[in-house]
């Protein structure tokens, strides 16, 4: 709570995204992306623990805080896959078919970057940098990606997915 009443606050939930952006095109029917009954611009405690923490403000419910997904200009949110849905509202920001919640890793504030190319996996169409798109390597059920060599590393993150020693 920043002490400013919501009706005067330009960012009521404190996520860095202006209410005017989060409310959507019709402020009389504000957007509620995760369908929890709380409009995105007011959603301060999405885990219900009574305390606001960095993981709470997550409009699309993918585990990655809006503050990470929004980009450097909150008035013009990032849309990595150019599908018309800003990343903070898109459950698959890079459009590779693998949900961001699967690709982000254990700490959504510092998402995994498997190939260390500076692009987190949830925004990278080739997370392991092997030249084969993640959408091909993930298989038919991206929530349970294929692991051809059964080494515990899904193919889309494994530079040697068949385990023959040749990348």
């Amino acid at each position: 709570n920043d002490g400013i009443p919501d009706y005067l606050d330009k960012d009521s939930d404190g996520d860095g995204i202006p209410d005017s952006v989060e409310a959507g095109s019709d402020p009389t029917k504000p957007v509620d992306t995760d369908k929890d009954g709380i409009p995105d611009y007011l959603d301060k405690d999405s885990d219900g623990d009574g305390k606001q923490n960095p993981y709470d403000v997550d409009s699309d419910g993918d585990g990655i805080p809006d503050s990470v997904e929004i980009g450097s200009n909150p008035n013009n949110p990032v849309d990595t896959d150019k599908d018309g849905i800003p990343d903070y509202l898109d459950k698959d920001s890079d459009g590779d078919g693998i949900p961001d919640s699967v690709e982000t890793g254990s700490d959504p504030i510092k998402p995994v970057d498997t190939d260390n190319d500076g692009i987190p996996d949830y925004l990278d169409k080739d997370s392991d940098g092997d030249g084969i798109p993640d959408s091909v390597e993930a298989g038919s059920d991206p929530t349970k990606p294929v692991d051809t060599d059964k080494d515990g590393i899904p193919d889309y993150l494994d530079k040697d997915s068949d385990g023959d020693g040749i990348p």
Side-chain angles (χ1 to χ4, degrees), residues 18-163:
D19 292 350
S20 60
V21 173
E22 284 188 291
S25 60
D26 183 357
T28 64
K29 296 177 184 169
V31 175
D32 178 13
T33 305
D34 61 6
K35 309 286 187 239
D36 64 357
I38 302 169
D40 292 355
Y41 77 97
L42 294 174
D43 206 347
K44 295 179 185 180
D45 182 22
S46 62
D47 64 8
D49 66 359
K51 301 174 187 168
Q52 188 175 5
N53 59 58
Y55 298 96
D56 279 333
V57 186
D58 178 17
S59 296
D60 59 4
D62 64 0
I64 307 167
D66 291 350
S67 60
V68 172
E69 292 187 287
I70 194 70
S72 61
N73 181 356
N75 289 306
N76 186 21
V78 172
D79 178 11
T80 300
D81 60 6
K82 310 287 187 245
D83 65 354
I85 303 169
D87 291 356
Y88 79 96
L89 298 174
D90 195 340
K91 292 182 183 288
D92 181 14
S93 298
D94 60 4
D96 64 359
I98 306 167
D100 293 350
S101 59
V102 172
E103 291 186 288
T104 192
S106 61
D107 184 357
I109 290 181
K110 295 178 183 172
V112 172
D113 177 11
T114 300
D115 59 5
N116 295 313
D117 64 355
I119 303 169
D121 291 355
Y122 80 96
L123 299 174
D124 195 340
K125 291 184 182 281
D126 182 14
S127 298
D128 59 4
D130 65 356
I132 304 168
D134 294 348
S135 59
V136 172
E137 290 186 291
S140 61
D141 182 357
T143 61
K144 297 176 184 170
V146 173
D147 178 10
T148 302
D149 61 4
K150 310 283 188 244
D151 64 355
I153 303 170
D155 290 358
Y156 79 94
L157 299 175
D158 194 343
K159 290 183 187 247
D160 181 15
S161 56
D162 62 1

